[in-house]
Amino acid sequence: MKEETLSNITIDPNKLTSEINDHDTRIIDVRSKSDYLQHHIPNSVNLPLSKILSNDSPNHLLTLIQSFGIDDTTHVVVYDNTFGALASRLTWSLSYIGHDNVSLLDVTYDKWQSLGYETNSKIVDFEIKKHKLNINNSILSTINYLEQKINDNKTVIVDNRERLNFLEHHIPNAINIPYKMFASQNKILKNPKELKQIFENRNIKEQDEIITYCGSSGTLSGLAYNALKSIGFKNIKLYVRSFKEWRQQNKKVEKQNNANYWDLSAE
Amino acid sequence: MQNQLDSINPSETNNWARIEESAHFSKMLKLYRQNKLGSDSFRRFRLQHGAYGTRMTDDYAMVRIKIPAGEIHPNQLIKIAQLCDSFSIGSAHVSTRQNIQLHWVVLEDVPEIMAELAKVGLTTREACGNTIRNIMCSPLSGVCTNEMFDSTPYALALAKFLLRNPLNQNLPRKFKFNFTCCEQHGMARIVDVGLVPIINKSEQNTQQGFKVFLGGGLGNKSYVGHQLEEFTPIEDLLYTSIAVIKIFDRLGNRKNLARNRMRYLVHELGWDEFKKLILKERAIIRVTQSIITNITVNHHKHIQNIPKFNQNTNLDSLAYTRWLKTNTIKQKQQNYYSVFLTLEAGDITSDQLRHLANICEEFSGERLIRNGFSQDVVIRWVHQDHLQMLYSKLISVGLSNPGAMTIASPIGCSGTTSCNLALTNSHRLAKEIQRKLLTLKIDQDDDLKDATIKISGCPNSCGQHEIATIGFYGGGGRSGKNMYPIYQMSLGGRSDDDAMLGVNCLRIPAKKVIDTILKIISIFKKDKKPDDDLKSWINKIVNEKNDTNIRSISDLKKLLLPFTKVPDKTESSDFYYDYGSFDSYHTRTGKGECAA
């Protein structure tokens, strides 16, 4: 049983191939429209993430997924070519509007291709379906919610930006787990044992409340959200407007002082 | 020479790792976090396992990956690239002691890094702490036109013998071995034990061995090493090494942290007494331990034949010629070159590491790279017909800067970018100097090429300023209530067979260092005799043997004095900021753990 819940977060190319023609499965490609038009996974529909980011109202997303023929029971699979971060952001949004039956393809589109799985450029249409709107506020952190939690030692605030950005400034008491720590060599997420180790090393426990954030739109931290979900964490929230909003509202930030770490970068 | 191109056995990659050390580190870290292990004990343990403290914080570490003899394989480069991205800052740092360092690593991630490194045979064990540090070997060993024989197999064998050896787990202080290829390349005289390979020819036989130098070293107080004996045969390499380690372990100063490197012991006992002790100890070891101690030396080296490329490159021939001149060196093996890559103060991005791995597979006959002594990396065994193609590859990955083996590649320690002891941003200063000198094409000037610039961010010599033609170490200057970053300049240091430490000249404010260097060059140009180069000219001056207008350091000082002038803060605020900072400068340091 446990094995089953874990494997729901991601789906491997083999399994997806067996579901490609399944009416109860809908595959969403979140890459840009032009990339999608060139070629994509057969039977997938295109929902560039930018469409969601420019208007992230629940009703907008609801209308879009209904137009893809997704109803409450459809198994939605999302993929991208950006190490799973863009796809993760959409899976989170789907959970937020009440669609939990959603998985990430566990490899990127490039990898899918290089492994020799099928692609084509056919555009498919699906009959519009009805989907309920059932907002799940328990997975969202607003700025006000987060602000109340920064001194709460039962809450772990996780910044998923790269190390130098974190050192430069971050939300007070946040810890840094750069998004690149989650991927394995071939897959967008490490196996559960390896992922657990990262959190165990930091003494973060399954029952802790976790709030993840990143630079601006909850993509890198969306990946972290899924990584945590995949190892059984139950109380995870995404601070979806992330550090950009925090800065814009002039909230307090912390910085690693008295060190010129940027000058160590060869970029 | 006999096994140059014909294959014998592909030399196996050495495995330096022990996988169980990762879990052990993890356990100890947890005990420390739960206050069940004291911070001093943990620090000692952490350093023994290659995790060094970071500036002003206990949450981060610098992880020092040992690269014995500087040899690193493509799969190891790729692994380090991954680790940079996941756990560090997206760049790695090649140190002056052939290590590769990952900075600003969360202490909790160190065990993960150790476990990943073990997968490719690398270790961080004994990279810091009071142990035998990475055993260095000249990046030209095996290919150098001046060398008598290749000391690499001996460096690797000794590294293998000493790693995790109970002999060196708790020395009075850190301990360093350097092997060179010849007198010119490498640093045999400024290290605890320096070894230059030589061949002793007598009427009866020809014998391989070393000139062994003991008790040299750079630091707050620096010394040039003494030669133990005329000739130390190869059979005595291990006995001599053990004898020196044992004497240091027994007699070295364990009380005074500032006086516990072996060079102080040599100084206090006097060289003759010290030498007597070593020779006596060696004689005892030779008779008592001859059976149990043995090193395995692997002489097999497989050089692959690389198929000829279809050259079709559209190169800027001027830039190519410039690079060829400063970044490549002919090997003793006909038609082959060693290629030095110019890095900025040793920093390289994770992507560049990945490209380097591919380039190495594609172009290097030995399929590995060697870290150099100057925060650089060297691709060897490149066929001359492939140099042009290699250059165009390097352009595409941003590694084609010229100036590698010239004055235009200054060394800068990590300074305030990560080190607890640093007073100035020496790391960035080195980069700034390099950019300026390359813009001015200083690297092309044959009169300047053998001179060196080396910068430390504090009086400890991690940046090796004392053996530089023009050296600098950082400190704080004061003008009324305001502080500004300043460097003590030293001139005429060198590490070759005329090794000497630089002589202090003036204290130069950080923002005037570049101008001062350029001024020295212009004074030299005016004053020099036809045969002088900058290095020899400065050497004559510091030894007061110059007979032109500039006869001594004080003559030079007079001309450079304007650069020491301190402007008012209101008219030049930039003067008061260090490189990379926009805050008022203050000296801030934490507890040192001794890094390079």
Side-chain angles (χ1 to χ4, degrees), chain B residues 13 16 69 138 169 185 271 318 476 481 536:
Chain B
T13 309
W16 307 100
S138 164
Q169 299 308 301
H185 307 116
W271 168 246
L318 276 178
K481 277 184 198 154
S536 63

Side-chain angles (χ1 to χ4, degrees), chain A residues 163 201-202 258 260 263 266, chain B residues 55 104 109 416 425 431:
Chain A
R163 179 67 33 82
N201 286 345
R202 289 165 165 74
N258 301 319
N260 305 98
D263 289 328
Chain B
R55 187 169 176 81
W104 293 96
D109 289 332
T416 52
N425 192 347
K431 294 183 178 187

Side-chain angles (χ1 to χ4, degrees), chain A residues 163-164 166-167 176 178 180-181 185 197 200-202 256-261 263-267, chain B residues 55 57 60 82 86-89 91 104 106 108-109 112 347 416-417 425 427-428 431 580-581 588:
Chain A
R163 179 67 33 82
L164 286 171
F166 175 82
L167 293 170
N176 183 214
K180 285 185 177 163
M181 277 175 69
Q185 199 157 358
Q197 193 65 50
E200 242 176 69
N201 286 345
R202 289 165 165 74
Q256 188 70 40
N257 281 312
N258 301 319
N260 305 98
Y261 29 81
D263 289 328
L264 273 170
S265 169
E267 289 290 352
Chain B
R55 187 169 176 81
T57 169
Y60 298 92
Q82 279 167 18
S86 297
F87 301 106
S88 179
I89 59 168
S91 292
W104 293 96
V106 170
E108 270 65 18
D109 289 332
E112 297 303 300
D347 296 338
T416 52
T417 64
N425 192 347
H427 199 71
R428 172 72 176 270
K431 294 183 178 187
S581 302
R588 287 190 187 87

Side-chain angles (χ1 to χ4, degrees), chain B residues 207-252:
Chain B
Q207 210 183 1
Q208 291 187 336
F210 294 94
K211 277 195 223 173
V212 178
F213 295 91
L214 300 175
L218 302 178
N220 214 327
K221 191 145 178 36
S222 301
Y223 293 99
V224 175
H226 303 266
Q227 189 174 346
L228 178 67
E229 56 202 343
E230 273 297 298
F231 179 78
T232 307
I234 267 173
E235 298 70 45
D236 269 346
L237 169 64
L238 194 59
Y239 299 133
T240 312
S241 304
I242 296 173
V244 178
I245 295 165
K246 283 193 158 179
I247 292 294
F248 176 52
D249 188 36
R250 204 177 300 152
L251 302 176

